[in-house]
Amino acid sequence: MKMKVRIMIAVFFTGILLSACGEDTALTQFRKSMDDFCTRISEIDTSINSIDAEAENASEELLTYLDDLDIVFRSFAKLDFPEEFDYLEELADESSEYMTEAVQSYHDAFDNNSYNESTAEYARQNYSRAYKRVQIIISFLHGEEPQDPDLTIEYGTD
């Protein structure tokens, strides 16, 4: 789960970037919320990676952690981004929608004590889409332009 490690590093730098003398309380709250979000997804990721795949209740344990992850992403989508980052709110909403779809699909993949590989693959793709949007948000928060061949950036001519 290299992606989560990159997110944690990005959060650290986001904290540095957003912490400045005389910053307003909205920006301070946003920074704390971003830190909390990234910390929580890192904790859940650690828990998921520590599941014993051979355990009888492994799938139930995984689904419980994924449900927690969905809740965290829904909270992320509800964040009120500071005015200078308003343009990122739609990406946060999309990341939450993709995570919700992923979690539901994982539940479907493990339904009736069986495993549906194609449904699990669909879930994995949505899971990846959710995290990709988080990475893009963090890149923009750092003032960087994400290096992603699938990303098209349109610059306004205002």
Side-chain angles (χ1 to χ4, degrees):
M1 299 279 172
K2 293 181 201 176
M3 190 178 315
K4 280 82 172 184
V5 172
R6 283 189 245 148
I7 289 173
M8 288 307 297
I9 291 169
V11 167
F12 173 74
F13 288 115
T14 301
I16 291 171
L17 175 73
L18 297 177
S19 62
C21 295
E23 74 180 52
D24 64 40
T25 50
L27 193 57
T28 300
Q29 181 57 42
F30 177 72
R31 181 176 46 90
K32 181 183 179 331
S33 296
M34 285 297 297
D35 288 345
D36 292 347
F37 168 72
C38 291
T39 298
R40 189 66 187 120
I41 62 173
S42 176
E43 292 168 351
I44 294 170
D45 180 59
T46 298
S47 297
I48 288 172
N49 288 324
S50 68
I51 295 173
D52 177 5
E54 302 299 319
E56 186 176 315
N57 67 337
S59 61
E60 291 86 11
E61 192 174 357
L62 171 64
L63 294 173
T64 298
Y65 288 131
L66 289 172
D67 289 338
D68 292 345
L69 194 60
D70 189 28
I71 292 167
V72 172
F73 269 75
R74 287 177 193 222
S75 295
F76 177 60
K78 291 179 183 176
L79 278 181
D80 185 23
F81 282 60
E83 186 176 324
E84 61 266 36
F85 300 115
D86 269 349
Y87 63 98
L88 298 172
E89 284 192 35
E90 188 175 332
L91 279 176
D93 294 342
E94 288 177 13
S95 71
S96 176
E97 291 165 9
Y98 278 120
M99 185 56 70
T100 297
E101 183 66 24
V103 171
Q104 181 57 53
S105 296
Y106 275 122
H107 276 275
D108 292 346
F110 287 101
D111 198 25
N112 297 324
N113 295 323
S114 64
Y115 179 73
N116 183 309
E117 192 170 328
S118 64
T119 305
E121 175 58 22
Y122 175 72
R124 188 200 60 74
Q125 290 171 5
N126 282 294
Y127 184 89
S128 293
R129 289 179 186 115
Y131 274 103
K132 184 176 197 174
R133 278 150 181 79
V134 171
Q135 287 179 313
I136 290 168
I137 289 169
I138 290 172
S139 292
F140 278 117
L141 290 175
H142 287 113
E144 301 167 359
E145 192 170 291
Q147 300 300 313
D148 187 325
D150 297 328
L151 179 65
T152 303
I153 300 173
E154 295 179 18
Y155 296 97
T157 56
D158 297 356

